[in-house]
Amino acid sequence: MRRLEETARSKGLTIFARIDHAAGARGVGLTMQDEELLVFGSPRAGTPLMVARPLVGLDLPLRVLVWRDAEGRVWVSYDESAFIARRFGLPDGLEKNIGGLPALIDAALK
């Protein structure tokens, strides 16, 4: 998660929130696997999408979930830009504004 956050910042993206779900569980006496959510994006990239389709604000800023499974493997999960574009019927050409997420994750994992 640290590398993902650092990579996003290095690309000029804004980090809006980092939510530690496991810490929240511990805070109420429960246990769960390690799981954190990073909420980030760029108003320059996201605003045109929300102007075109205001409901896309449900999925923006972008979110990436980093979690550990029962075997100790770490996973990175996110909604693909094509899914978001189909879900909200984004006009042609706007999906590219949020299409760089896989490359950002790859860069963070190297």
Side-chain angles (χ1 to χ4, degrees), residues 18-37:
R18 183 171 169 176
I19 302 165
D20 187 337
H21 291 305
R26 285 190 301 276
V28 295
L30 301 173
T31 59
M32 66 177 289
Q33 72 280 356
D34 290 335
E35 185 170 305
E36 289 188 56
L37 182 73

Side-chain angles (χ1 to χ4, degrees), residues 9-91:
R9 284 186 198 281
S10 77
K11 303 288 185 192
L13 300 173
T14 301
I15 305 300
F16 295 103
R18 183 171 169 176
I19 302 165
D20 187 337
H21 291 305
R26 285 190 301 276
V28 295
L30 301 173
T31 59
M32 66 177 289
Q33 72 280 356
D34 290 335
E35 185 170 305
E36 289 188 56
L37 182 73
L38 188 65
V39 182
F40 64 97
S42 164
R44 184 172 309 284
T47 300
L49 280 70
M50 291 183 282
V51 168
R53 299 291 188 266
L55 288 179
V56 78
L58 289 168
D59 283 352
L60 296 179
L62 295 172
R63 296 177 302 278
V64 174
L65 183 70
V66 178
W67 55 284
R68 185 181 314 273
D69 68 17
E71 288 78 40
R73 290 178 297 212
V74 175
W75 297 87
V76 178
S77 302
Y78 60 93
D79 285 336
E80 293 182 355
S81 61
F83 169 78
I84 295 170
R86 279 192 313 275
R87 179 176 182 202
F88 297 103
L90 291 178

Side-chain angles (χ1 to χ4, degrees), residues 91-104:
D92 290 342
L94 285 181
E95 179 188 340
K96 69 176 174 32
N97 288 27
I98 56 171
L101 190 50
L104 184 131

